[in-house]
């Protein structure tokens, strides 16, 4: 099979792994970050394009807004929608179509990122190394996980890969065009996620690296003002994707300052030695075993022994991102995403260098190749099983169906963060709508839609109060119109307040909170995933509270 066919197989594999399972959890919305993007994108239809929320940049939200607009136009032309209110009602009844559009865009960006990573590897090391590096990258368990979400991570990664490709062109031929493109792609990447900026030093390194002898460019093309031009286009690209950093600079600067402080110095949710969390992510590159991960780490470290000029840019980029992430107290695996394709490429290069050095020892060479092949096959099998598990009916859907069948309408209950989302009673929705209207909160429109379009069984459900990992301003703003009740009130107080059920969503390992409830209450139903994979690594337990006689 020739290189072209192998390349097509790589992209086909990436497409299967990234798209398979994007229906996870639906029609239940199980990931809070997805809602942050989707609901703001939908809210732009009111005419206010200011998100009033800058913890996340806005470019992905604007792309979703455009996609939803196109979706509405197509359905309007087909006669499925006669007015925007039909679109809104369809979203309230079943948000699956809205989530699938957003997740599909994320999955597409992930597949294209694999393609651009292949181009980078081909330019640095040749087709064979590019193919292996692309395969190692495509089989990263966390990359596959993040490709399923309606979030900006994979869109940022695609822009980052295009930025890095531009950096290679700066190193090879110079030229104003590539400095402009490097800045523009980096600005767009930062308009997807701020942490993309960690990789910008790659452009500076590329600028100061000596050009290959094959480059047909005069030394004058390396004038240092081109770096300033690149930096200027970072601002241009960022502004294109996030214009309200200027138009609402007060809110932007205040929230970003809080975000920087939160990531670097938070003591409530932060942790020391974040590097260990990111190192663990690399070790478990292929999922639940360290086979492929240890090979990737060994291959990445081998660049310090090899000292080839072709390794300088990818290795510098990978280790800069790793070091930048490790300096933060809030460890989130997706922050390391820009480094993963670079680690994969330099590891693939190390593999072929090792095979070449073992040329005289056929047995060792075959053993080494077989070990890598086994690790790749194992990682592919794990990824396929995880995607299959995600594509099955989620336990939240099963729990919601069981509740609607077995628990009377209008029952008062307490539901955990990752419990089933049930239709809330009009009484409680009206309370939320009135509070949001009084405060001028953006969720008032969402509560109004629910009041107008909601159908089916309704329940008086409140949410268990949990810590919200976010900057203080966003934490307070997001929770002020929610109906939260702490479990710490105790079983007697909750029973006196009229609660009849508690729906807990504990992790797979029993917690002290769960054990306490097990000792005090009757468990009427439990749901567990057949294969616990992110983001579905929780169970659901339904407890009945004792009736308090008045």
């Amino acid at each position: 099979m020739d290189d072209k066919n192998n390349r097509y197989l790589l992209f086909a594999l990436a497409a299967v792994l990234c798209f398979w399972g994007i229906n996870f959890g639906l029609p239940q919305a199980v990931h809070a970050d997805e809602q942050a993007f989707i609901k703001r994108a939908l809210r732009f239809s009111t005419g206010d394009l200011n998100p009033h929320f800058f913890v996340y940049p806005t470019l992905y939200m604007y792309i979703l807004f455009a996609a939803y607009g196109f979706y509405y136009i197509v359905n309007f032309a087909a006669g499925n929608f006669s007015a925007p209110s039909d679109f809104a009602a369809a979203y309230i009844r079943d948000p699956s179509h809205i989530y699938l559009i957003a997740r599909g865009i994320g999955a597409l960006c992930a597949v294209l990122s694999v393609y651009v990573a292949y181009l980078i590897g081909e330019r640095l090391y040749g087709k064979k190394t590019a193919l292996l590096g692309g395969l190692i990258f495509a089989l990263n368990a966390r990359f596959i996980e993040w490709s399923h979400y309606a979030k900006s991570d994979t869109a940022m990664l695609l822009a980052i890969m295009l930025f890095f490709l531009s950096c290679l062109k700066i190193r090879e031929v110079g030229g104003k065009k590539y400095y402009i493109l490097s800045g523009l792609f980096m600005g767009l990447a930062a308009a997807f996620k701020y942490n993309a900026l960690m990789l910008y030093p790659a452009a500076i390194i590329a600028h100061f690296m000596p050009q290959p002898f094959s480059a047909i460019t005069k030394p004058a093309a390396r004038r240092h003002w081109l770096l300033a031009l690149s930096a200027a286009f970072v601002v241009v690209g960022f502004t294109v994707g996030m214009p309200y950093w200027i138009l609402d600079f007060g809110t932007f600067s205040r929230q970003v300052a809080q975000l920087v402080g939160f990531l670097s110095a938070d003591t409530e949710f932060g942790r020391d030695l974040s590097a260990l969390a990111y190192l663990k992510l690399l070790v478990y590159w292929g999922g639940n075993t360290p086979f492929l991960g240890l090979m990737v780490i060994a291959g990445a470290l081998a660049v310090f022994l090899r000292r080839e000029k072709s390794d300088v840019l990818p290795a510098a980029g990978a280790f800069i991102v790793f070091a930048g992430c490790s300096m933060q107290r809030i460890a989130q695996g997706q922050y390391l995403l820009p480094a993963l394709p670079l680690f994969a490429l330099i590891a693939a290069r190390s593999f072929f260098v090792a095979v070449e050095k073992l040329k005289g020892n056929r047995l060792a060479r075959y053993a080494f190749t077989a070990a890598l092949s086994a690790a790749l096959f194992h990682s592919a099998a794990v990824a396929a099983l995880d995607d299959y598990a995600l594509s099955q009916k989620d336990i939240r859907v099963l729990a919601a169906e069981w509740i609607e069948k077995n628990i009377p309408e209008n029952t008062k209950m307490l539901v955990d963060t990752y419990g089933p989302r049930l239709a809330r009673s009009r009484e409680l929705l009206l309370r939320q709508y009135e509070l949001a209207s009084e405060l001028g909160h953006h969720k008032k429109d969402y509560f109004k839609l629910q009041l107008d379009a909601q159908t089916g069984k309704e329940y008086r459900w409140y949410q268990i109060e949990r810590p919200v990992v976010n900057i203080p301003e966003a934490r307070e703003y997001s929770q002020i119109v929610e109906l939260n009740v702490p479990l710490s009130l105790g079983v007697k107080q909750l029973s006196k307040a009229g609660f009849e059920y508690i729906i807990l969503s504990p992790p797979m390992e029993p917690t002290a909170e769960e054990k306490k409830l097990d000792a005090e209450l009757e468990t009427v139903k439990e749901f567990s995933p057949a294969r616990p994979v992110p983001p579905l690594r929780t169970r659901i337990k339904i407890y009945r509270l004792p009736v308090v006689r008045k």
Side-chain angles (χ1 to χ4, degrees):
M1 191 177 290
D2 60 24
D3 290 335
K4 182 178 287 188
N5 288 333
N6 287 333
R7 184 174 58 189
Y8 291 153
L9 283 175
L10 169 64
F11 305 145
L13 175 66
V16 169
L17 294 178
C18 292
F19 277 93
W20 188 13
I22 64 171
N23 64 317
F24 74 88
L26 297 177
Q28 297 278 321
V30 298
H31 201 295
D33 289 348
E34 288 186 312
Q35 297 180 53
F37 286 95
I38 288 173
K39 288 181 179 179
R40 283 176 174 80
L42 292 172
R43 187 173 172 272
F44 290 150
S45 63
T46 63
D48 182 7
L49 297 179
N50 184 351
H52 306 282
F53 176 80
F54 296 99
V55 173
Y56 300 112
T58 54
L59 181 52
Y60 197 67
M61 300 175 195
Y62 291 140
I63 290 173
L64 293 186
F65 174 52
Y68 294 149
F70 178 75
Y71 175 77
Y72 172 76
I73 291 170
V74 169
N75 278 274
F76 181 82
N80 297 325
F81 298 148
S82 59
S85 57
D86 294 336
F87 176 93
Y91 167 66
I92 295 299
R93 286 193 298 268
D94 184 353
S96 297
H97 57 299
I98 294 298
Y99 276 79
L100 285 173
I101 290 170
R103 290 176 181 175
I105 293 172
L108 177 61
C109 289
V111 175
L112 292 176
S113 296
V114 173
Y115 174 69
V116 181
Y118 173 88
L119 295 179
I120 291 169
E122 185 180 38
R123 197 160 210 95
L124 283 168
Y125 305 121
K127 288 183 170 60
K128 287 184 178 180
T129 303
L131 187 66
L132 178 58
L135 180 59
I136 293 172
F137 171 47
L139 292 178
N140 180 273
R142 300 288 75 80
F143 165 69
I144 297 169
E145 175 196 342
W146 298 320
S147 71
H148 289 77
Y149 296 147
K151 296 173 58 180
S152 60
D153 298 288
T154 54
M156 176 270 291
L157 178 62
L158 176 58
I160 279 286
M161 290 292 93
L162 292 169
F163 157 78
F164 199 85
L165 196 59
S166 301
C167 290
L168 291 183
K169 298 295 289 185
I170 288 174
R171 187 236 165 184
E172 292 171 2
V173 301
K176 183 168 66 175
K177 176 174 73 172
Y178 298 111
Y179 283 90
I180 291 174
L181 287 175
S182 70
L184 187 62
F185 285 130
M186 175 52 70
L188 293 173
F192 285 121
K193 290 202 76 170
Y194 300 120
N195 61 294
L197 290 168
M198 285 190 293
L199 199 51
Y200 186 69
I204 302 172
I205 294 170
H207 174 80
F208 285 103
M209 285 183 69
Q211 289 176 281
F213 291 113
S214 60
I216 313 173
T217 306
K218 296 179 180 179
R222 293 292 182 156
R223 289 173 294 187
H224 297 325
W225 66 267
L226 290 170
L227 268 182
L229 182 66
S230 173
F233 270 87
V234 172
V235 179
V236 171
F238 185 69
T239 304
V240 167
M242 191 167 175
Y244 281 89
W245 85 270
I246 295 176
L247 300 175
D248 190 3
F249 183 75
T251 305
F252 168 80
S253 59
R254 184 179 68 250
Q255 292 188 0
V256 169
Q258 287 186 32
L259 181 62
V260 171
F262 176 68
L263 292 175
S264 60
D266 179 73
T267 55
E268 184 177 359
F269 302 108
R271 56 178 291 174
D272 295 321
L273 299 176
S274 293
L276 294 179
Y278 293 112
L279 183 60
K280 183 179 179 181
L281 187 147
L282 292 179
V283 168
Y284 288 94
W285 184 285
N288 55 9
T289 56
F291 303 137
L292 183 57
L294 292 175
M295 290 183 176
V296 170
I297 293 172
L301 293 176
V303 300
F304 296 104
L305 300 175
R306 201 163 55 240
R307 298 185 180 183
E308 293 180 357
K309 288 183 179 179
S310 58
D311 292 330
V312 171
L313 266 180
F319 288 108
I320 284 171
V321 173
F322 187 88
C325 290
S326 300
M327 293 171 62
Q328 300 173 357
R329 287 187 58 82
I330 301 295
Q332 297 286 330
Q334 60 267 34
Y335 295 162
L336 193 61
L337 188 57
L340 297 184
L342 304 179
F343 275 124
L345 290 172
I346 57 179
R349 172 60 180 164
S350 295
F351 168 78
F352 283 111
V353 169
V355 167
E356 184 64 26
K357 288 185 177 181
L358 294 172
K359 198 171 184 179
N361 189 334
R362 183 177 297 180
L363 182 61
R365 183 178 180 180
Y366 286 162
F368 185 62
T369 304
L372 179 62
S373 300
L376 290 170
F377 180 81
H378 176 268
S379 299
V382 169
L385 289 171
D386 287 352
D387 276 353
Y388 174 77
L390 288 176
S391 68
Q392 303 307 296
K393 184 179 283 191
D394 183 58
I395 60 170
R396 288 153 194 79
V397 178
L398 295 173
E401 291 173 351
W402 186 90
I403 289 168
E404 290 174 358
K405 184 178 179 180
N406 293 279
I407 298 180
E409 187 173 14
N410 215 37
T411 298
K412 190 173 183 179
M413 57 182 66
L414 198 53
V415 182
D416 211 346
T417 305
Y418 294 106
R421 300 296 91 176
L422 305 165
R424 185 167 265 157
S425 68
R426 292 188 63 82
E427 168 201 346
L428 296 183
L429 279 176
L430 187 59
R431 184 193 305 178
Q432 288 182 289
Y433 173 70
E434 290 172 347
L435 177 60
S437 299
E438 180 183 336
L439 296 172
H441 198 284
H442 72 270
K443 277 194 173 181
K444 65 181 176 63
D445 298 323
Y446 178 62
F447 296 141
K448 182 65 166 61
L449 286 175
Q450 287 184 299
L451 282 166
D452 293 342
Q454 188 156 277
T455 58
K457 279 192 173 182
E458 298 178 359
Y459 293 89
R460 291 183 298 147
W461 68 270
Y462 294 71
Q463 188 158 303
I464 295 176
E465 186 173 279
R466 299 292 190 194
V468 178
V469 183
N470 212 327
I471 64 172
E473 181 176 326
R475 209 183 309 170
E476 180 182 347
Y477 185 75
S478 66
Q479 297 301 299
I480 197 169
V481 293
E482 296 302 328
L483 302 175
N484 295 331
V485 175
L487 270 180
S488 57
L489 286 176
V491 169
K492 288 183 179 180
Q493 284 298 110
L494 291 172
S495 295
K496 286 181 180 179
F499 287 98
E500 298 181 53
Y501 292 90
I502 294 175
I503 303 175
L504 198 69
S505 58
M508 299 308 296
E509 293 295 324
T511 63
E513 180 182 71
E514 180 187 356
K515 291 176 181 178
K516 186 173 185 297
L517 289 178
D518 285 343
E520 296 183 79
L521 298 174
E522 173 195 1
T523 302
V524 295
K525 191 69 177 176
E526 181 172 356
F527 299 87
S528 296
R531 184 178 177 84
V533 297
L536 310 177
R537 283 182 173 164
T538 58
R539 295 168 289 127
I540 293 177
K541 296 185 74 170
I542 302 176
Y543 297 94
R544 181 183 286 117
L545 280 82
V547 177
V548 175
R549 305 278 182 192
K550 294 184 180 180

